[in-house]
Amino acid sequence: MLTEHGKTLHQTWEDLPKRPGEVLPIWQDIKAVCIAAIMKHLWILEYQPPEALIVRFMGSEVVRLGGQDNTGKDFLKTRTAPENRAKMLRIYSACWTTPCGAQLTRILRTKGQDTQLLQTVFFPLAHEREGHWALLGLSEIVKIAPGGEDDGIADYASSELLPPEFIDIGYGIPKI
């Protein structure tokens, strides 16, 4: 189930202008006024063949959650464990090839702190360059339980990733 910010992103994505004949909004056409209400929570990843997802925008809250600004860097190499990169690229690519949204939930546990969920919701965007596409996403933390005796340090790479939940935007959902 989408959080309030996730629902707002979904509606924001639905309201983005589309060029005549285009199924998806084109990321280069997005104006700040269209996303202003949730901009600090947003990110944009651009797929560059053959296997890069370049961070094109990170809102201030996304930078705070991640501990650093990765704008211009490959998200898969900077924020995804090597053993998970192919899986994550399949999930992100599935949202482009079968136009749909997705919600990813990561369970974050750190010693002596609350158990939290990192919920990430994203939707596909078209791109002006052939072979490229993009994702418009939003990430937020939701606390679910008081601290436990976990030894781990919460970050995107070491957290437990639940199976993706795809969001039908009129074209079905992928089978991955």
Side-chain angles (χ1 to χ4, degrees):
M1 181 156 102
L2 293 177
T3 64
E4 286 306 311
H5 282 108
K7 290 175 187 175
T8 302
L9 174 64
H10 189 184
Q11 187 60 56
T12 299
W13 180 87
E14 289 281 344
D15 293 343
L16 289 173
K18 295 175 183 75
R19 293 182 186 176
E22 291 290 333
V23 172
L24 300 173
I26 295 177
W27 93 264
Q28 291 91 340
D29 292 347
I30 297 173
K31 305 289 185 240
V33 69
C34 298
I35 58 174
I38 56 174
M39 188 179 284
K40 71 180 186 177
H41 296 281
L42 295 180
W43 48 261
I44 295 175
L45 299 179
E46 176 190 344
Y47 173 74
Q48 291 184 353
E51 296 182 337
L53 281 170
I54 305 302
V55 178
R56 291 298 176 207
F57 176 80
M58 289 181 75
S60 60
E61 186 62 13
V62 180
V63 171
R64 187 189 71 75
L65 289 174
Q68 64 186 14
D69 186 346
N70 289 315
T71 303
K73 298 176 184 172
D74 185 347
F75 177 80
L76 294 173
K77 290 183 179 173
T78 59
R79 299 303 295 171
T80 307
E83 63 273 13
N84 294 329
R85 290 178 185 158
K87 175 183 177 179
M88 294 306 297
L89 185 57
R90 278 193 309 276
I91 293 169
Y92 293 135
S93 296
C95 289
W96 165 252
T97 56
T98 302
C100 66
Q103 177 171 277
L104 295 178
T105 301
R106 291 172 177 86
I107 300 173
L108 307 176
R109 296 180 184 95
T110 55
K111 187 173 183 175
Q113 296 186 16
D114 294 336
T115 298
Q116 302 172 334
L117 300 179
L118 173 64
Q119 293 194 306
T120 301
V121 178
F122 49 92
F123 295 91
L125 299 170
H127 196 289
E128 290 180 331
R129 290 183 63 195
E130 184 70 30
H132 291 234
W133 45 267
L135 297 170
L136 176 65
L138 177 146
S139 299
E140 64 183 310
I141 295 285
V142 178
K143 291 184 180 187
I144 59 171
E149 294 300 318
D150 217 331
D151 293 323
I153 294 178
D155 65 30
Y156 298 155
S158 65
S159 58
E160 178 186 351
L161 179 65
L162 301 179
E165 298 174 54
F166 291 104
I167 303 163
D168 191 341
I169 57 173
Y171 305 95
I173 57 174
K175 304 206 183 332
I176 61 168

